[in-house]
Amino acid sequence: MLSPQLSKALNKQIELEGYSSQYYLAMASWAETQGLNGVSAFLYHHADEERMHMLKLVKFVNERGGHGVVPALKQPPVTFKSVKSVFEEILKHEITVTGDINALVEITLKEKDYTTHNFLQWYVSEQIEEESLARQIVDKLKLIGNDKGGLYFFDRDLEVIAGEAVAAEEATAKGKK
Ligand code: OFO
């Protein structure tokens, strides 16, 4: 059974994952209006992943005798300065999320709640991946600078990455049936 403190902290994380999904959805929609179909496909997929992170937490909290609360929708930004600023914001946001996950892990250790500690390890690994991907993309965009041709190929690359991620998920889902 979850302690009230941990239950409250996990619900805060549910809220943050929900906001991440909204945030990336807003970025995806903005990118689509800029004709950046690859960037938007990548970000739509990223938004779906964040929703899955939220859902996973809701289910876990409920399984452990708490109540996973669905948060209110907070309005994310509507427009963004550039593709580079979008990915810089993602990196900053993911670093914040990593800090929050680490704080949650700390509570589980203090409370000796090893079940929740074990559950959170999935998020710990996920944050390593997400931060490193965001960092790689920011580095690429720094190299591209103001080169329009470079941005065109970058957009195509992200379309391929998004397509591969969707195909891998579909294959996993089929394997589970
Ligand atoms: Fe949920 O991993 Fe990003 O925020």
Side-chain angles (χ1 to χ4, degrees), residues 15-84:
E15 197 179 336
L16 184 59
E17 300 290 346
Y19 182 70
S20 302
S21 179
Q22 289 288 102
Y23 196 19
Y24 298 155
L25 194 55
M27 290 170 174
S29 177
W30 171 81
E32 199 163 39
T33 65
Q34 307 300 303
L36 295 157
N37 294 341
V39 173
S40 78
F42 177 87
L43 292 168
Y44 278 127
H45 181 257
H46 201 353
D48 283 348
E49 279 196 347
E50 296 297 349
R51 188 176 181 278
M52 183 273 282
H53 298 174
M54 175 181 71
L55 212 59
K56 213 172 152 81
L57 276 158
V58 168
K59 294 194 167 172
F60 178 78
V61 170
N62 289 344
E63 264 168 27
R64 300 281 324 279
H67 185 174
V69 178
V70 177
L73 294 179
K74 202 168 106 201
Q75 169 85 64
V78 176
T79 54
F80 299 87
K81 231 173 58 211
S82 62
V83 178
K84 187 165 151 264

Side-chain angles (χ1 to χ4, degrees), residues 17 20 24 46 50 53 93-94 97 123 126-127 130:
E17 300 290 346
S20 302
Y24 298 155
H46 201 353
E50 296 297 349
H53 298 174
H93 184 73
E94 290 303 334
V97 175
Y123 287 84
E126 182 71 12
Q127 283 313 120
E130 288 203 347

